[in-house]
Amino acid sequence: MTRSAAGTESVWAALGGDPALLSRLSTVVRPGALDARLPVRELARACVGACALAGAELTAVRTGGNVPGVLVDDAAVATAFVSERHLLVDGRAPVNFAPLSRFWRTADGWVRTHANYPHHRARLLESLRLDADASVETVAACLGERSAAEVEATVYAAGGLAVALRTPAQWAAHEQGAAVARHPLLSRESVAGAERSAPSAPGRLSGDPLRPAAGVRVLDLTRVIAGPVATRTLALLGADVLRVDTPWLPEDPDAHADTGFGKRSTRLDLGVRADRRTFEDLLAGADVVVTGYRPGALDRFALTPEALAVRRPGLVVAQLSAWGRYGPWSGRRGFDSLVQVATGIAAIEGSAERPGALPAQALDHGTGYLLAAAVLRSLTERSREGGTRLVRLALARTAAWLVDGLGRPDEERPDQERPDQERPDEERWDASYDPEPWLAETDSDLGRLKYARTPVSFTGGPADWARPPGRWGTDAARWA
């Protein structure tokens, strides 16, 4: 069995899938795609393959037919895993990392910061007692005088984002790393104490039967990449996805353009009574709630799985976080780039001179497809058994699977020294295949978009989203 086949088999088992269905899956191998020292290509294949197979399985449930064949093409997967870098808006390429989101040399090592959002940039500079317009050179000089551990602690205490570079061994010895290692890749459970709902069809059996999530209503409370990739995939498969954001935390327009395909987007302040009533009305008609905030961040709005299940028995609740809901870092914010640094990935992918990065934000994208797969499988199980379902994933746990679960790359891809990266603070650009066949263009309210097509493919399934993204937060807060 190849490493990628074993990866897909383990993911499918973690999702509770019938192992016999794995025979429905085939792969087009593109050597060199997502090349890295770690088996990123194998992780990407497994995550997308499991997601597509879960969609194919749900199609069979909806139609009463056989499970369609699934095709995973490395080129489609690799293109989608860097979708944010293929995006063009009226010919303009987004800036995916702000100037202060980068690696910095400290007095005793390295630290990586994340300051793409204005409030994160402000908190970073405030924690370092620097002016709001401080330059990269000024920040570099400041950090160069401090230890990496001091920077990490100081910035996080101020609400900013900075993580010290660790080796895999250092992460394994860290209390958070040990906590992550004790948990499975993903957790699936029934919500304790919830009223038992009867088996129910996955959606209202409306719309295109070859979009297996047609009629499923999804409340999307996620931000940035992993969660939006999951809900973008559910929208591809026909779900009515309504993203809900607070008015006080605007999304980056380019991030929304990349991950907003197939969805609608509205703004609600859950601290305002009228908006809270609107949200409760939406919840009363929802099938799925997906959250991507820090564990506990939404509890004050009675959005725990248990509280949701009381108000909406039969719901599928899907939760995503950076570090997991366990360990001393459970309440911390985090992004893919920071998780790579903490868990030893940046040390493995780097050199003796400086840290490195994966060829894609593969923790985000991979976890996003896993999250979509878990929701799809939960809908299938709910149709047979009823009940309220809860699934949980974490970027740090996906990282542990990449480093320790899948192991080192196959012999076909030897570990060798890499040339210096032209832009070492961003992922490497993969030029081993032609992405053009996997790109498409469309007009939208945001302008002319060039974007990555979906890698989720099965016989008779949708090849593209039914609608392009609209403007962030401008849709009515109601179901379609």
Side-chain angles (χ1 to χ4, degrees), residues 66 75 203 209 222 261 311 335 341 352 379 401 412:
N66 295 324
T222 69
F261 280 87
R311 307 203 296 286
F335 293 89
V341 171
L379 291 171
W401 180 50
E412 68 189 64

Side-chain angles (χ1 to χ4, degrees), residues 15-150:
L15 291 166
D18 180 357
L21 295 184
L22 290 167
S23 65
R24 306 299 298 157
L25 191 152
S26 59
T27 303
V28 177
V29 177
R30 313 275 186 174
L34 295 175
D35 193 28
R37 293 195 176 116
L38 289 166
V40 179
R41 182 169 67 241
E42 290 79 1
L43 176 144
R45 281 180 193 160
C47 294
V48 171
C51 183
L53 190 56
E57 179 189 32
L58 189 58
T59 297
V61 171
R62 292 291 300 272
T63 64
N66 295 324
V67 174
V70 171
L71 179 66
V72 180
D73 190 309
D74 281 351
V77 173
T79 303
F81 264 56
V82 290
S83 62
E84 64 274 12
R85 281 186 274 154
H86 286 299
L87 178 71
L88 296 177
V89 182
D90 285 333
R92 176 186 59 81
V95 175
N96 291 311
F97 285 97
L100 298 189
S101 295
R102 58 188 295 138
F103 288 108
W104 308 88
R105 190 182 290 278
T106 64
D108 62 349
W110 293 88
V111 70
R112 182 154 191 172
T113 56
H114 195 287
N116 283 8
Y117 288 98
H119 60 291
H120 290 154
R121 173 190 165 89
R123 291 168 185 169
L124 169 66
L125 294 175
E126 288 169 4
S127 71
L128 301 177
R129 301 183 183 278
L130 297 175
D131 294 338
D133 59 352
S135 67
V136 169
E137 292 74 19
T138 299
V139 175
C142 177
L143 296 180
E145 298 174 349
R146 306 187 184 195
S147 71
E150 177 192 357

Side-chain angles (χ1 to χ4, degrees), residues 2 18 98 127 133 143 163-164 174 181 200 205 221 246 248 267 269 280 285 358 370 374 392 396 403 465:
T2 66
D18 180 357
S127 71
D133 59 352
L143 296 180
V163 173
H174 191 278
S200 57
L205 297 178
L221 281 68
T246 173
W248 313 115
R267 289 176 286 177
D269 184 345
E280 292 298 323
L358 297 176
L370 284 179
R392 289 188 171 114
V403 174
W465 288 272

Side-chain angles (χ1 to χ4, degrees), residues 305-317:
E306 295 76 16
L308 288 168
V310 168
R311 307 203 296 286
R312 182 62 173 162
L315 197 67
V316 175
V317 181

Side-chain angles (χ1 to χ4, degrees), residues 177-413:
V180 168
R182 289 193 294 268
H183 286 78
L185 175 61
L186 58 93
S187 67
R188 304 164 55 252
E189 58 191 86
S190 295
V191 178
E195 179 183 336
R196 182 74 179 177
S197 66
S200 57
R204 289 154 187 80
L205 297 178
S206 61
D208 183 354
L210 294 182
R211 291 189 187 259
V216 173
R217 292 171 172 173
V218 179
L219 280 174
D220 177 6
L221 281 68
T222 69
R223 293 177 66 82
V224 196
I225 297 179
V229 163
T231 52
R232 180 180 70 182
T233 304
L234 297 175
L236 168 81
L237 299 178
D240 179 11
V241 179
L242 181 63
R243 174 166 165 168
V244 180
D245 285 280
T246 173
W248 313 115
L249 198 59
E251 179 59 287
D252 177 83
D254 292 331
H256 175 68
D258 176 43
T259 59
F261 280 87
K263 311 179 198 177
R264 293 176 300 115
S265 168
T266 194
R267 289 176 286 177
L268 294 174
D269 184 345
L270 298 187
V272 174
R273 184 174 300 176
D275 282 4
R276 183 61 182 273
R277 283 198 300 266
T278 299
F279 181 85
E280 292 298 323
D281 289 343
L282 290 168
L283 177 63
D287 298 289
V288 180
V289 174
V290 185
T291 67
Y293 291 81
R294 290 171 297 141
L298 300 177
D299 289 2
R300 67 186 186 277
F301 301 119
L303 296 181
T304 64
E306 295 76 16
L308 288 168
V310 168
R311 307 203 296 286
R312 182 62 173 162
L315 197 67
V316 175
V317 181
Q319 296 185 328
L320 168 75
S321 62
W323 306 106
R325 58 185 299 273
Y326 34 74
W329 285 16
S330 62
R332 289 194 176 193
R333 299 173 179 86
F335 293 89
D336 181 307
S337 59
L338 302 183
V339 176
Q340 288 189 39
V341 171
T343 59
I345 291 173
I348 293 172
E349 295 294 331
S351 66
E353 288 72 37
R354 64 173 300 118
L358 297 176
Q361 294 192 67
L363 307 180
D364 262 331
H365 286 273
T367 306
Y369 289 108
L370 284 179
L371 189 64
V375 169
L376 294 167
R377 288 244 60 253
S378 295
L379 291 171
T380 293
E381 292 179 340
R382 190 187 71 172
S383 72
R384 298 166 177 164
E385 305 167 10
T388 301
R389 308 277 166 166
L390 170 63
V391 297
R392 289 188 171 114
L393 293 95
L395 301 185
R397 191 59 192 83
T398 304
W401 180 50
L402 175 63
V403 174
D404 297 318
L406 283 167
R408 292 295 187 267
D410 294 326
E411 292 181 1
E412 68 189 64
R413 182 174 46 200

Side-chain angles (χ1 to χ4, degrees), residues 437-462:
W438 310 105
L439 302 176
E441 294 191 37
T442 187
D443 291 317
S444 75
D445 290 344
L446 307 177
R448 182 72 176 174
L449 301 180
K450 186 172 185 178
Y451 63 97
R453 293 162 49 200
T454 179
V456 175
S457 175
F458 52 88
T459 302

